[in-house]
Amino acid sequence: LLIVLFFTFFTPLFFRRRPCSSNVLRDVSLRVTGEIHIGGVMLKLVEKLDVKKDWSDHALWWEKKKTWLLKTHWTLDKYGIQADARLLFTPQHKLLRLQLPNMKHMKVKVNFSDRVFKAVSDICKTFNIRHPEELSLLRKPRDPKKKKKKLEEAEEDDLELQGPIYSSPGLYSKTMTPTYDSRDGSPLSPTTAWFGDSPLSEGNPSILAVSQPISSPDILVKLYKPQSLLDKAKINQGWLDSSRSLMEQDVKENEVLLLRFKYHSFFDLNPKYDAIRVNQLYEQSKWAILLEEIECTEEEMMMFAALQYHINKLSIMSSDNHMNNSEKEVDEVDAALSDLEITLEGGKTSNSLGDITSIPELADYVKVFKPKKLTLKGYKQYWCTFKDITISCYKSKEEAHGTPAHQMNLRGCEVTPDVNISGQKFNIKLLIPVADGMNEIWLRCDMEKQYAHWMAACRLASKGKTMADSSYNLEVQNILSFLKMQHMNPDPQFIEPITTDINPECLVSPRYLKKYKNKQISARILEAHQNVAQMSLIEAKMRFIQAWQSLPEFGITHFLAKFQGGKRDELIGITYNRLIRMDASTGDAIKTWRFSNMKQWNVNWEIKMVKVEFADEPCLSFICAEVDCKVVHEFIGGYIFLSTRAKDQNESLDEEMFYKLTSGWI
């Protein structure tokens, strides 16, 4: 059996514009039998080449079948390799140019034979980012308005990298527990703990935990901005398959890939340990808002701009005290144990957890509106009670013991805020699932405090939780703090004078730059800044991330799809806990399905149809348009996998479980 192998020498040549690898190809023919194993073939090849070097990282790649021959004990016959097969003898670790969420580019050596899930885990270990299962690699979106040649030239200019090359994975040991840097909270490798020398010290990895202000508005102009929901759906076509290697997906050496938070379910986000992770999350959310990848109101935009301005100021100062976490939340278990200890000693408890045997209720006058076609009726005031996960509406408080005029079970509903602080508008939009779609109900509250309590209760009820849940009070406080940051009426004597260090073109999205003059925007940013001026750096970043998470469109990944029985293309939105059928032009939700109600999902790979079965609802079937259904399947399985995480687990990932849930037929 004659095997022809291509052996590649890698000789890096550096031109003035960019680094380039020159690959010298040599044909080497080996005459072997089909019974020889892959390890024997590589041994014969190295002996024939007679070049003294470390060959341990080299492996055989079968270009025709797009597969690595990594099982060195397998014979050629077992792999199905016939005479005149062409194989490539190449290093497994190759150079990638990664664009991190902060838009900075890093050169990283990655194992091109590992599955992408494993490769991303190694990259995250290198950069000290916990919970790598939340991230993945994305191909760079192409702007259809720009000519390909000019775009490539611009990319080459951006990628003139001078920094060090990082090797993946980092120096982590399975037998040693990582410790954490006391200054900025970033995890240290065991090697660092023992010898005090960080594996990334050459490139100063702490810069990954520091936010750098946008230097020029021209940077925003160059970046691709999706103009519609369809554009957002096209970006999501670029996610790599986590169950296959980089080589199998035609990723080339020195190619540019984006490292992004793929799944919007951030587990155990702790500023004490996650300085780099928090900063990269902040950066991804910042760019999503500036590039209008997610919608927000004018007041919210000014709040985000004020937080960004504050973070920029503190980052430039770079003092250690701003990196300390001022977290004030008390763990409920610790609080309960403290109360128990005080009670046993005869003291007075804080009673912060309340009576755990009773479920809190809400009762108040709330305006209710049920939109219908061809109707001009507005809001009508009812006495509303919120018990468990049900809202009951009565014509008056005196009739509350009778039969309600309306009753709504909020399990599985869509909850969307509609708030305008200056206009004193505090609305809650509910889309409640029914047999033939979704019923739309609007609730209008009179005050912020009332809105915060009802909004928090609605969000929990949509997940099947009551106000007795431990997260209710925290949710109320988060909503109130989110509203407080949007207030624009501080004492004018404390407002900073407008200075040249405010560059509104780098703090707000283009939509508002067209609407107002720069001086007007600067004044509003400084006014909003008074609400956040006392925050520490890490607190401001956490507030920014929490505010991002509070936006109605947060965490929805869009894909173009055709539903069974539908006549035109629509959108399927996937979030951490549900699937949403959406109108492609307006983005309005048509129907929602919760993962908690899901029995199973299957994929017909031939016709690219995804079929999802639910416990008490009709089956959902849709065909993926313009995207491999494997990407959609992986998002569903990925979120199911993330929902199984628990704080009592160790740091290791169950890779096999991830592949079972996401890889399908592979």
Side-chain angles (χ1 to χ4, degrees), residues 134 261 263-269 277 281 548-549 554:
E134 298 167 359
F261 288 89
Y263 300 104
H264 292 75
S265 177
F266 313 126
F267 184 72
D268 190 24
L269 189 61
R277 184 173 169 222
L281 257 177
W548 174 49
Q549 291 175 298
F554 167 78

Side-chain angles (χ1 to χ4, degrees), residues 402-419:
T403 304
H406 306 288
Q407 199 165 46
M408 299 166 279
N409 187 306
L410 302 193
R411 186 188 294 273
C413 75
E414 287 293 306
V415 184
T416 307
D418 180 26
V419 176

Side-chain angles (χ1 to χ4, degrees), residues 452-498:
H453 282 87
W454 283 78
M455 186 66 179
C458 288
R459 285 176 175 170
L460 286 176
S462 69
K463 304 171 188 176
K465 299 179 180 179
T466 69
M467 286 173 276
D469 190 85
S470 59
S471 62
Y472 173 67
N473 289 328
L474 180 61
E475 183 71 26
V476 171
Q477 293 305 315
N478 285 340
I479 293 171
L480 286 172
S481 63
F482 182 54
L483 296 175
K484 184 180 178 181
M485 287 191 295
Q486 297 179 55
H487 279 282
M488 293 293 181
N489 298 309
D491 192 333
Q493 65 177 329
F494 294 110
I495 299 179
E496 299 176 44
I498 298 176

